[in-house]
Amino acid sequence: MASRLVLTLLSLSAFVPLILPVHSLTCTSQTFSKDRLYSNCTDLTALNAYLHYSYNASNSSLSVAFTAVPAKPDGWIAWAINPTSQGMIGAQALIAFKSNGSVTVKPYNLTSYGYINETKLSFDVWDVSAEASAKTTTIFATVKVPKESDTVNQVWQVGSSVTNGVPDKHMMNKENLGAKGALELVSAASTTAPASSSPDKAGYSETCTSQKFTNNNLYSHCLDLPVLASYLHFSYDSSNTTLSIAFIATPAKSDGWIAWAINPTGTGMAGSQTLVAYKDSNGSMVLKTYDIASYSSIVPKKLAFDVWDTSAESSGGVIRIFAKIKVPSDLAASGKVNQVWQVGPGVGSGGMLQKHDFASANLNSKATLDLLSGEGSSATDPRLKKKNIHGILNAVSWGILFPLGAIIARYMRTFESADPAWFYLHVFCQISAYAIGVAGWATGLKLGSESQGITYTIHRNIGIALFSLATVQIFALFLRPKKDHKYRFYWNIYHHSIGYSILVLGIYNVFRGLNMLNPEDKWKTAYFLVIVVLGGIAVLLEAITWIVVLRRKSSKPT
């Protein structure tokens, strides 16, 4: 009996290794090829991943071995340091996957959740390699971390597939979204990263109060700016109206630029007196001044007020601008200035700045700075109400009433019982649309005259074309020949051609205007649904009227 029990236990012990996962239960039991050894290891909190690492404080280098199981056998794994926040956006990532039977590692600067490209990281990385076992993949690398860093934000991830050498999107499960942590370099302990309260406020430090400068500059006030992960430290001397500032932000790309400005004439970028910093081709910092009179010509130029003690520095993917500014007397008297800030992707020849994104955060990077109290508040655009009125009038006229009038004319006339009611409904819709459209066009002209230096060329030209075509179309009503007139055929061609041109241009220009105005998504969705409904009605009526016409022809062959 005892011998049978021993045999049974031995049999079970032989099967246990087959049913356990291939990777180790804890990082302490893992070993690597080439006898690689690391000072610390941690069992990461999600995705069955592990990190072994050694930190050399003398040269700020971090050697890592990251081990994880891809979501599928032909999938990928990734480990990253994010110098600007705690999530994937901004992460400087190493991604490993199998290619032609071997494991390859590529660097990615993850600036968005969209399509990713292989790009150089914002910090140095060397001794990069990877290896794969039956199920796990391991990334080896040594990276240069910011000097005197106690912690870094690490992010890791696994994915299921690779297409044409580009990793496909990973799952959005709880574990995938929680795959991030603060890695303690000094104490050799890893903790889960707290979720940021706002993605726009995630930055190099959690708040401006914890930031320090290499030149030991001290400032009376600091602000966590509301967008673009930016911060402002400043002191104001009212006796000589001098403003000392330190502006901190992360460029849109590793070779991009950051900008901070005072706008003495408005709340936007046009008219702003700007300080711009970026790295030149040899890696040294450059700081230039730009008097941005318009969006079309942005070249280095002396500012409208004095500025001195300007400098810039960069570390960990973050750029800092330092300067002292002589605040103009009229602004000093009010105690407030309009500040504008921005980040961009790169710099062309001659210091020509490449255009920044026009996302919501970029368009809202402006605020009123109270020099005395040290508070900042979002700057309100005095033209916003006029912009909204302009948008509503044109959306109703060119975007809704004109298409509705065209649908009435094309389909209701097929039904003999609707004659002549369809004609009067059609005329009512088009005249109403024209009247409202003229009002919207006039508000657009007024906005253009109040927006010196800002020109939306395509939107403006389409608006002028719409007004011209609609005016001709309305007056053509008085030249309409009778049905049996010999010129009625040509008049119909002209009338329909202009009508459909107005229809297409009107809807297109409404969408362009919505993108420029950048309202809440619900307004774009609402207008899109209106167009979809009108389009659906048109398709349905097209089928019905064709059936009616074909039946009518079959019953009356003459």
Side-chain angles (χ1 to χ4, degrees):
M1 183 69 180
S3 60
R4 288 183 180 180
L5 179 59
V6 170
L7 287 173
T8 302
L9 291 174
L10 289 173
S11 300
L12 287 173
S13 65
F15 282 103
V16 167
L18 299 178
I19 61 176
L20 287 175
V22 174
H23 56 275
S24 305
L25 290 176
T26 64
C27 65
T28 55
S29 61
Q30 294 172 330
T31 57
F32 305 107
S33 62
K34 301 180 181 179
D35 296 324
R36 293 182 175 97
L37 297 175
Y38 298 89
S39 305
N40 313 291
C41 79
T42 179
D43 302 336
L44 298 176
T45 54
L47 300 177
N48 290 325
Y50 308 88
L51 183 72
H52 297 249
Y53 64 101
S54 298
Y55 176 62
N56 187 344
S58 64
N59 61 3
S60 302
S61 64
L62 176 66
S63 299
V64 301
F66 170 71
T67 302
V69 181
K72 290 185 178 180
D74 56 348
W76 53 267
I77 70 168
W79 183 84
I81 288 178
N82 193 329
T84 61
S85 64
Q86 297 165 344
M88 188 60 76
I89 297 300
Q92 308 298 301
L94 296 171
I95 302 182
F97 52 87
K98 289 182 179 179
S99 177
N100 299 322
S102 61
V103 184
T104 184
V105 185
K106 293 184 178 182
Y108 293 82
N109 183 353
L110 303 178
T111 58
S112 71
Y113 285 111
Y115 184 81
I116 62 173
N117 290 310
E118 180 183 353
T119 51
K120 185 179 179 181
L121 303 187
S122 63
F123 45 72
D124 293 334
V125 58
W126 62 96
D127 292 345
V128 180
S129 63
E131 63 184 25
S133 62
K135 286 191 176 183
T136 63
T137 300
T138 302
I139 295 173
F140 303 98
T142 302
V143 299
K144 188 80 169 179
V145 299
K147 289 183 178 180
E148 300 179 359
S149 296
D150 294 331
T151 63
V152 292
N153 296 321
Q154 64 168 330
V155 188
W156 63 96
Q157 197 56 254
V158 298
S160 60
S161 60
V162 178
T163 303
N164 297 325
V166 179
D168 294 326
K169 287 185 177 180
H170 59 76
M171 299 289 287
M172 292 294 178
N173 297 330
K174 183 178 180 180
E175 271 206 277
N176 298 86
L177 298 178
K180 52 188 177 181
L183 182 64
E184 299 283 348
L185 302 178
V186 178
S187 65
S190 178
T191 59
T192 302
S196 173
S197 60
S198 169
D200 281 332
K201 285 196 172 187
Y204 185 66
S205 300
E206 287 187 3
T207 65
C208 65
T209 55
S210 61
Q211 293 170 332
K212 297 179 181 179
F213 305 105
T214 56
N215 53 15
N216 294 322
N217 284 3
L218 297 175
Y219 299 89
S220 304
H221 310 284
C222 78
L223 294 171
D224 300 335
L225 298 177
V227 292
L228 298 180
S230 304
Y231 307 88
L232 181 71
H233 298 250
F234 67 99
S235 298
Y236 179 62
D237 187 345
S238 58
S239 64
N240 58 9
T241 65
T242 299
L243 177 65
S244 301
I245 64 105
F247 173 68
I248 303 172
T250 305
K253 292 184 178 180
S254 58
D255 57 348
W257 53 266
I258 71 168
W260 184 85
I262 288 178
N263 193 332
T265 59
T267 58
M269 187 60 77
S272 62
Q273 308 297 301
T274 310
L275 299 167
V276 179
Y278 57 88
K279 282 185 179 180
D280 64 11
S281 57
N282 61 19
S284 60
M285 292 303 302
V286 176
L287 192 148
K288 293 185 177 181
T289 57
Y290 293 75
D291 180 356
I292 302 180
S294 70
Y295 287 107
S296 58
S297 178
I298 302 179
V299 293
K301 189 177 180 182
K302 185 178 179 181
L303 303 187
F305 42 72
D306 291 336
V307 58
W308 65 98
D309 289 351
T310 57
S311 63
E313 65 181 28
S314 174
S315 65
V318 175
I319 295 178
R320 302 169 185 85
I321 293 175
F322 302 96
K324 290 183 179 179
I325 298 163
K326 185 71 172 179
V327 179
S329 56
D330 56 335
L331 299 178
S334 67
K336 295 180 179 180
V337 295
N338 294 323
Q339 64 167 329
V340 187
W341 63 97
Q342 195 57 255
V343 298
V347 181
S349 59
M352 180 67 73
L353 304 180
Q354 295 178 7
K355 285 187 178 180
H356 59 75
D357 288 338
F358 284 85
S360 177
N362 299 86
L363 297 177
N364 290 305
S365 55
K366 52 189 176 182
T368 300
L369 181 65
D370 192 318
L371 302 175
L372 302 177
S373 69
E375 296 178 352
S377 60
S378 298
T380 57
D381 189 345
R383 298 166 296 148
L384 183 59
K385 184 176 180 181
K386 293 178 183 178
K387 289 180 180 180
N388 290 335
I389 292 173
H390 171 74
I392 292 170
L393 290 175
N394 286 290
V396 171
S397 59
W398 312 111
I400 297 176
L401 285 178
F402 259 109
L404 182 61
I407 290 173
I408 290 172
R410 177 167 178 81
Y411 301 114
M412 285 188 65
R413 66 190 303 174
T414 305
F415 305 96
E416 295 176 351
S417 60
D419 196 9
W422 72 265
F423 175 74
Y424 295 114
L425 281 172
H426 171 67
V427 171
F428 173 77
C429 281
Q430 306 307 70
I431 291 178
S432 299
Y434 178 73
I436 297 172
V438 169
W441 184 68
T443 59
L445 292 178
K446 180 65 174 174
L447 281 169
S449 66
E450 295 176 353
S451 307
Q452 295 296 326
I454 303 176
T455 304
Y456 297 104
T457 305
I458 297 177
H459 184 69
R460 179 194 62 185
N461 291 343
I462 293 176
I464 294 171
L466 282 170
F467 172 75
S468 303
L469 290 172
T471 301
V472 172
Q473 189 80 316
I474 292 297
F475 281 101
L477 178 66
F478 303 104
L479 302 175
R480 178 170 172 261
K482 293 183 179 179
K483 289 183 178 181
D484 55 354
H485 196 282
K486 63 179 180 179
Y487 291 126
R488 179 59 180 262
F489 172 75
Y490 302 104
W491 186 91
N492 284 340
I493 293 175
Y494 138 80
H495 185 65
H496 294 161
S497 300
I498 292 184
Y500 286 122
S501 298
I502 293 173
L503 185 69
V504 173
L505 287 175
I507 293 174
Y508 174 73
N509 217 29
V510 168
F511 277 112
R512 283 195 71 91
L514 285 171
N515 288 333
M516 287 156 44
L517 190 58
N518 199 36
E520 295 181 27
D521 289 340
K522 65 180 181 181
W523 297 111
K524 293 181 182 179
T525 303
Y527 180 69
F528 177 75
L529 291 176
V530 168
I531 296 302
V532 168
V533 170
L534 289 175
I537 292 173
V539 170
L540 180 62
L541 289 175
E542 185 76 22
I544 293 173
T545 51
W546 269 106
I547 293 172
V548 171
V549 169
L550 292 175
R551 286 182 177 178
R552 189 177 295 162
K553 283 187 176 182
S554 63
S555 62
K556 297 178 181 180
T558 56

